[in-house]
Amino acid sequence: MAPTLKPRRARALLEQAELHRQRGEWEQATSLARQVAEESSLVEPAAFSILAEGYEKLGKVADAEAALRNGLLRKPSPELQAALGSLLTRGGKIKEGLSLLEKVKAKLGRNPGYLAQFGLALMQAGREDDAEAVLTNALTLGGGNDARLVMAALKGKRGDYAAADSLASGIEANETDPAILKGARAVRADARLFLGDPGGALTLWKALAAANELDPGQLGHMAYAAQLAGETELADQLIAQRLAHTATAEDHLLFAQVKVLRNQPEVALEHLDKSVGAPGEHFPGHDYELLATRGRALRLLGLTQEAKEILEEATALEEYGTSRLGPRVHVDLGHLAAEEGDFIEAEKHYRAALELDEDEPEAKQAMFLTSRKVAWKSSLEASAEARVEAANAEAEAMKRRFLSREGELEAMRRELQRLKSEHRAVSERAEQAEADAQAVAQKAAEEQRRKVREELEHRERDADAKTAENIERALAGLQAPVELLTMLRVAERTFQQALTSGLAAAGVAVFFSGALERWLFALYVTRFNAWLNETGRRHAFLEGAISERRGRRVEYYDHFVEAFDDDRAGRAPSLGEVGRVLLKSGESYLEPFRRFLAETYAAEPGFYPALGEFVIWANETLRNPLAHGRFVELGYDTLKTFRERLLFAFQKDTPGVLAMMLKPR
């Protein structure tokens, strides 16, 4: 089909498609992007990117892949290549997808969105250390909730459920994208389950199910949570639903644990036989949990020796010493020892379980009962039995010598029985006193946890309210793109939280400087690039900025200009480079840039050199101080001055930097 759309019309349609994409209106976004991709002579990678995303959201994954490959054929683009790699990875083609993502690392290595996709692919490929390093870099560069969601999933996969829950909760607090919210809630549900809160996990999964957003792979975990929360009928429904599809090795392990909780060891063993699975289906701790569950099922069946052998095999694995998995095997070994009458050995195992998890209920109860038996045995050996033996020996001697003293011997026997009765009464009172003390301590601990929770919730609400108020005050009614507004909101919210949490000023500064860098890039670099296209001045701009020409090779005055040379396909300008260009915006070769600023924004020409000095200072002091020889630790006075100029008062009688940048002509 011959191109029928003119460039200006194609760009207008593409802007409309982007608006529909931001609103989640995928049918409209896909239709407009497809029209631009098929009918315009102007090849815009963004058209193919929106088209592919729309197809994937509509369930047409093959069409999404075809759109990206077509876009790469028409105009090679690192962004399209990264999008294709991410799509293939999500579809299970991990090796091919990861290869494509690694090829564009040199060009997109400072793009947080790309780093989030790359980190997800590395995690799916099992390269968890590499994934964590990439995701940390993404967040340092100002990455959003997409990067935080992948980091939360990685933390959960590595067993750090507290960190996973914290990250996912933060995402829920400020995210509007339904897909990211769905992922955050799924991560939180898994984290709450393994943090010992099955009721909280089940509530989250029920909400996902009600919204038709529950992934089939989560049915096994949800069934286990339902069993722990006492909803056995729901657990049965979920198990049947999962078994109707393809249950994994992990699912069968969870179902076996449910059956053990119900004292159905025969059914549990059937599931365990199916839980061996292929190596790729295993997860950290899988082999240990398999042995622990099988050992308990065999013990419940009365197969003591087989259970003991399986449980002792589990003690050779490293999970035996962890607080989450270790106590269970210790408890079962203690039960086996107690059944054999070896209460000393049983007590040793229960004590080891409580050292790993002081709140393990089964170990606490068993320890209490066993300690009584051990103490009673020791007491009898030390007192009652000794008295009986001494009395019997004395009575026998007296009987031989003084038959008339038989009555005295009987009196001693009655005294022994009285002492035993007193001992039982004292033991019962001691047990009751201990139970009362535990109840008081538990109530006090619950009250303290409630107060801490209420205080944290109050701080979060206060931080949210102050963040919204300050952003509204800073922008003074001006409309900012959603992406820029989100970065600013995260930075300001982090600042508000830091005022009460003790977070270092340097950590907060990274968020503000990252937001400033993204605003400069979006408002000045990206829009200037579009302006050069619309006005046809790109060639003149590049020619006027050449400092030296060597044959076909040219050298520009700075890297800022080089970023607009399509033949170079170089990296985007850094924060420092944009600052230096603003500082020397009066140079003759930057005349197109000055004109773009004058036509687009309402700021006076003198604003831009001052902004350049501000940006350079922010880069050297906040963004990357070590690279510029600054070794003095950043204090909150400096950070507050920077924030005041950024948000509220850049110069005397002027609003903040962001409002000055945003105000249109």
Side-chain angles (χ1 to χ4, degrees):
M1 179 186 295
T4 58
L5 284 178
K6 294 183 179 180
R8 185 177 295 276
R9 175 60 177 162
R11 293 192 187 95
L13 291 177
L14 192 57
E15 290 179 357
Q16 294 177 30
E18 172 61 20
L19 288 175
H20 286 301
R21 185 196 71 79
Q22 293 177 3
R23 296 170 184 162
E25 300 166 352
W26 298 110
E27 291 284 1
Q28 299 93 320
T30 304
S31 176
L32 292 170
R34 183 170 54 244
Q35 184 178 356
V36 175
E38 294 177 353
E39 300 178 20
S40 173
S41 61
L42 180 68
V43 181
E44 287 285 355
F48 296 94
S49 177
I50 296 172
L51 180 59
E53 186 177 2
Y55 276 142
E56 185 180 10
K57 295 293 185 182
L58 295 172
K60 302 176 181 179
V61 179
D63 290 342
E65 181 178 345
L68 291 171
R69 293 191 185 278
N70 183 29
L72 286 169
L73 285 174
R74 295 182 62 183
K75 186 172 183 179
S77 161
E79 289 79 9
L80 289 181
Q81 189 168 343
L84 178 58
S86 182
L87 177 68
L88 292 173
T89 302
R90 290 193 297 274
K93 301 176 183 178
I94 296 175
K95 185 176 180 181
E96 182 182 357
L98 187 57
S99 175
L100 289 172
L101 287 164
E102 287 177 328
K103 287 179 181 179
V104 297
K105 183 177 180 181
K107 295 180 179 179
L108 300 179
R110 292 181 60 82
N111 185 313
Y114 156 77
L115 292 173
Q117 297 175 6
F118 189 28
L120 175 61
L122 289 168
M123 180 180 71
Q124 292 174 327
R127 294 167 55 183
E128 296 174 4
D129 289 340
D130 293 338
E132 185 160 4
V134 167
L135 293 169
T136 300
N137 191 26
L139 294 174
T140 301
L141 291 171
N145 283 337
D146 55 342
R148 291 186 183 85
L149 178 58
V150 181
M151 179 66 89
L154 178 62
K155 293 292 186 182
K157 187 175 181 182
R158 307 191 85 171
D160 190 353
Y161 301 112
D165 185 52
S166 177
L167 283 168
S169 298
I171 294 171
E172 282 193 274
N174 59 35
E175 183 55 59
T176 58
D177 188 317
I180 294 180
L181 279 173
K182 169 189 171 183
R185 287 166 183 157
V187 169
R188 278 201 68 210
D190 261 339
R192 296 314 308 166
L193 173 61
F194 292 112
L195 285 171
D197 181 15
L202 189 59
T203 299
L204 290 167
W205 272 315
K206 285 181 177 179
L208 288 170
N212 199 26
E213 295 179 345
L214 185 65
D215 191 295
Q218 297 173 319
L219 290 172
H221 284 183
M222 186 178 178
Y224 185 60
Q227 177 64 36
L228 293 177
E231 298 190 28
T232 56
E233 292 184 3
L234 176 59
D236 287 334
Q237 294 172 11
L238 294 167
I239 291 173
Q241 187 177 349
R242 184 57 174 160
L243 290 174
H245 296 83
T246 303
T248 65
E250 182 183 8
D251 291 324
H252 282 293
L253 176 57
L254 289 167
F255 300 157
Q257 292 170 343
V258 169
K259 298 303 180 182
V260 165
L261 290 172
R262 296 181 181 180
N263 200 19
Q264 299 173 345
E266 299 92 341
V267 184
L269 289 173
E270 293 175 5
H271 281 295
L272 289 172
D273 290 338
K274 299 174 183 178
S275 180
V276 176
E281 294 186 76
H282 291 191
F283 55 88
H286 179 274
D287 293 335
Y288 180 84
E289 289 201 56
L290 195 63
L291 291 172
T293 308
R294 187 180 297 277
R296 176 159 292 193
L298 291 170
R299 184 178 67 78
L300 293 176
L301 284 171
L303 302 175
T304 303
Q305 187 57 39
E306 294 180 41
K308 189 173 183 180
E309 291 174 359
I310 291 292
L311 292 170
E312 287 178 347
E313 184 180 347
T315 64
L317 302 180
E318 61 180 1
E319 290 87 348
Y320 183 58
T322 64
S323 60
R324 189 177 75 84
L325 300 177
R328 187 194 311 173
V329 170
H330 278 296
V331 168
D332 281 316
L333 286 171
H335 288 337
L336 289 173
E339 289 167 6
E340 294 175 352
D342 188 350
F343 298 114
I344 302 289
E345 181 68 15
E347 184 181 28
K348 182 180 72 173
H349 281 294
Y350 298 145
R351 195 177 303 280
L354 292 172
E355 286 176 357
L356 292 174
D357 181 2
E358 62 182 11
D359 294 322
E360 214 294 324
E362 192 173 358
K364 289 170 71 174
Q365 179 65 17
M367 181 70 179
F368 173 69
L369 295 174
T370 303
S371 297
R372 288 180 59 192
K373 293 176 181 178
V374 172
W376 177 249
K377 181 180 179 182
S378 300
S379 175
L380 286 178
E381 290 175 351
S383 58
E385 292 298 330
R387 291 188 182 187
V388 170
E389 291 177 3
N392 285 339
E394 184 178 355
E396 187 65 26
M398 291 176 68
K399 183 178 180 180
R400 287 196 300 268
R401 289 178 291 171
F402 307 102
L403 294 176
S404 62
R405 298 188 64 183
E406 182 67 29
E408 184 177 347
L409 177 59
E410 181 62 27
M412 292 180 66
R413 289 174 180 155
R414 288 196 299 270
E415 177 65 13
L416 176 60
Q417 292 300 321
R418 186 185 67 79
L419 290 174
K420 289 183 177 180
S421 298
E422 288 183 356
H423 182 273
R424 284 194 296 270
V426 170
S427 296
E428 290 172 357
R429 289 196 297 271
E431 291 170 7
Q432 183 60 44
E434 182 179 357
D436 293 343
Q438 288 178 347
V440 171
Q442 182 178 1
K443 183 176 180 181
E446 290 175 353
E447 178 65 18
Q448 181 62 27
R449 286 194 292 270
R450 183 188 66 77
K451 290 181 178 179
V452 171
R453 183 170 60 253
E454 290 179 352
E455 175 64 20
L456 291 176
E457 291 173 353
H458 173 74
R459 290 183 182 180
E460 291 294 321
R461 290 193 299 269
D462 187 54
D464 288 337
K466 289 181 178 178
T467 297
E469 178 185 345
N470 289 339
I471 290 178
E472 182 178 356
R473 173 190 164 200
L475 298 185
L478 295 173
Q479 296 297 317
V482 174
E483 176 191 5
L484 303 185
L485 192 59
T486 298
M487 291 191 69
L488 179 59
R489 185 180 293 111
V490 170
E492 177 60 18
R493 193 174 190 276
T494 303
F495 173 79
Q496 294 298 332
Q497 291 175 322
L499 294 177
T500 57
S501 66
L503 179 64
V508 183
V510 168
F511 287 99
F512 276 116
S513 60
L516 175 59
E517 182 177 33
R518 193 61 192 168
W519 278 63
L520 288 167
F521 182 82
L523 298 181
Y524 289 170
V525 178
T526 301
R527 290 187 179 179
F528 180 47
N529 185 60
W531 184 84
L532 290 174
N533 287 336
E534 293 171 359
T535 59
R537 298 186 181 185
R538 184 183 301 276
H539 178 73
F541 173 57
L542 295 174
E543 286 294 317
I546 294 174
S547 63
E548 185 177 354
R549 186 188 297 275
R550 299 177 182 176
R552 297 181 62 183
R553 180 176 177 80
V554 298
E555 295 291 337
Y556 296 108
Y557 285 115
D558 50 50
H559 289 298
F560 178 81
V561 177
E562 184 178 316
F564 299 94
D565 188 342
D566 291 336
D567 294 332
R568 293 285 183 97
R571 62 177 175 81
S574 67
L575 183 65
E577 289 167 356
V578 174
R580 286 190 289 275
V581 165
L582 290 169
L583 186 62
K584 58 181 182 179
S585 58
E587 296 285 339
S588 59
Y589 76 91
L590 292 174
E591 187 277 334
F593 184 55
R594 291 197 305 276
R595 178 171 295 185
F596 155 72
L597 294 174
E599 292 178 359
T600 308
Y601 300 106
E604 296 298 327
F607 164 71
Y608 296 107
L611 174 60
E613 291 182 357
F614 179 73
V615 170
I616 291 172
W617 177 87
N619 183 48
E620 294 179 354
T621 306
L622 308 180
R623 189 68 169 168
N624 198 4
L626 293 178
H628 296 86
R630 296 176 181 266
F631 303 105
V632 178
E633 183 176 352
L634 180 67
Y636 263 91
D637 289 342
T638 303
L639 174 61
K640 289 178 179 178
T641 300
F642 167 74
R643 172 178 167 275
E644 180 71 19
R645 297 188 69 194
L646 183 70
L647 299 182
F648 306 122
F650 177 52
Q651 294 174 320
K652 186 177 181 181
D653 300 327
T654 70
V657 166
L658 300 185
M660 294 282 287
M661 291 172 58
L662 196 60
K663 188 174 182 181
R665 171 62 63 187

